Structure formats: structure tokens, C-alpha cells
Amino acid sequence: MVDILAENLSGKAVMSADGTELGDLYNITMDLKSGELADLLVSPHEHLSPERSGFDVDEMGRLKVPVANVQAVKDYIVVAR
């Protein structure tokens, strides 16, 4: 697997595997004890209803996409729903 710096991911568009644009990457959360990445926090696009996205939502309305759902990182971050 290729290493990618987090600073290169900030603001990158996030898309589901079915081609739906979910939003832009806001941040990545991690477990401070283990160092394991937990969730991508995604600022949803205006046309997307966060409640119908299939992902949990934080208190600011951002999607919480588990890191395990990431399928590819290229022009977009592609995630499974």
C-alpha cells in the first residue's frame, strides 16, 4: 500500500462506490492509544441528506465514514456504503 500524507487528503472529494458524491474530507479521527485510524469526517454536499447517506453523523452534521470502508484514494476517496 502506498503511503499518503494526511495533508494531501484534506479537502479531497469523497464518493461512494456507486458514484454518489458525498462531500469533502474535513478530518480523520484516530484512537490515541492504538494509533489506529477510526473515521473520515466528511462535510456533506448540499444536495445530500446526511441522514439518508447510510453513515452516522456527528454533532456538526458531518458524515462519519469508517476508515475500513475506504476502497481507493486517487482523484476521489472512494468508500463503500
Side-chain angles (χ1 to χ4, degrees):
M1 177 179 248
V2 177
D3 291 338
I4 299 173
L5 295 175
E7 68 184 42
N8 295 337
L9 296 176
S10 182
K12 190 173 272 291
V14 180
M15 177 185 289
S16 68
D18 66 6
T20 302
E21 290 190 32
L22 300 175
D24 299 316
L25 181 64
Y26 175 76
N27 209 345
I28 302 172
T29 63
M30 68 182 290
D31 181 314
L32 294 176
K33 290 185 180 190
S34 69
E36 186 175 349
L37 298 178
D39 297 309
L40 303 181
L41 295 180
V42 178
S43 298
H45 285 306
E46 294 174 4
H47 69 276
L48 181 75
S49 170
E51 297 79 25
R52 298 185 70 212
S53 68
F55 297 109
D56 290 337
V57 179
D58 73 3
E59 63 280 352
M60 299 297 293
R62 293 181 291 247
L63 307 177
K64 294 173 63 176
V65 180
V67 168
N69 289 35
V70 175
Q71 294 181 331
V73 178
K74 300 215 185 228
D75 293 336
Y76 288 89
I77 299 172
V78 180
V79 298
R81 286 206 204 191

